[in-house]
Amino acid sequence: MSQATILHQAPVLFARDLPKTISYWADKVGFRTLGVWGEPADFAIAARDGAHVMLTQVPEAREAVPHWHIKDKMWNAYFWVDDARAMYDELTERGALIDYHLGEKPYGVLEFGIQDLDDQDIGFGQDLARKGA
């Protein structure tokens, strides 16, 4: 039996205001919008390099709870990068909402975090054990 290969993955994040969230991911995080669906718009996919994110409108009268409200310091999404310093500098310059600053973690990762417009934590990390780190 042949084995299937996973080509990409994408976290799914809730948005209270989908158009503003799409703009944030484009302008502040550098993700290109691949598509927006629904009338009115209620779902979008954005990508940067090989990474994707899916964004979906929170239905009226519902509330999305960021993961860190349930477990301290837990992300809603995490992206592995080849150069965390360069990514940190870029996102800081773009005006992303920095949640925690660049630093080496005890688990061997150079890491920082941002927040999106809905208070969700997004981590970016570079594996320091990788060759060339």
Side-chain angles (χ1 to χ4, degrees):
M1 171 170 59
S2 65
Q3 186 173 354
T5 300
I6 295 173
L7 300 176
H8 300 283
Q9 59 77 36
V12 180
L13 301 175
F14 286 111
R16 288 183 300 245
D17 185 328
L18 186 60
K20 285 183 181 177
T21 297
I22 292 168
S23 293
Y24 179 83
W25 277 88
D27 300 340
K28 307 299 184 192
V29 193
F31 276 62
R32 178 174 51 92
T33 304
L34 300 180
V36 179
W37 295 270
E39 271 306 317
D42 67 352
F43 185 77
I45 299 175
R48 176 177 174 155
D49 307 316
H52 294 75
V53 64
M54 295 180 178
L55 307 167
T56 188
Q57 180 70 46
V58 175
E60 277 190 45
R62 297 301 302 243
E63 183 180 342
V65 178
H67 291 173
W68 69 270
H69 284 239
I70 298 166
K71 182 176 181 177
D72 190 38
K73 297 180 171 59
M74 183 52 58
W75 314 275
N76 281 77
Y78 195 96
F79 295 98
W80 293 99
V81 298
D82 64 350
D83 188 339
R85 278 184 176 78
M87 182 68 72
Y88 177 79
D89 290 344
E90 176 193 339
L91 297 192
T92 300
E93 185 175 307
R94 285 177 170 269
L97 303 170
I98 302 299
D99 180 45
Y100 61 96
H101 295 283
L102 186 67
E104 287 188 28
K105 301 300 177 188
Y107 39 89
V109 174
L110 182 61
E111 179 181 282
F112 72 97
I114 67 169
Q115 285 192 324
D116 69 5
L117 298 178
D118 294 289
D119 208 25
Q120 298 172 112
D121 289 351
I122 316 299
F124 293 86
Q126 176 185 350
D127 182 356
L128 294 174
R130 267 189 52 210
K131 188 176 178 180

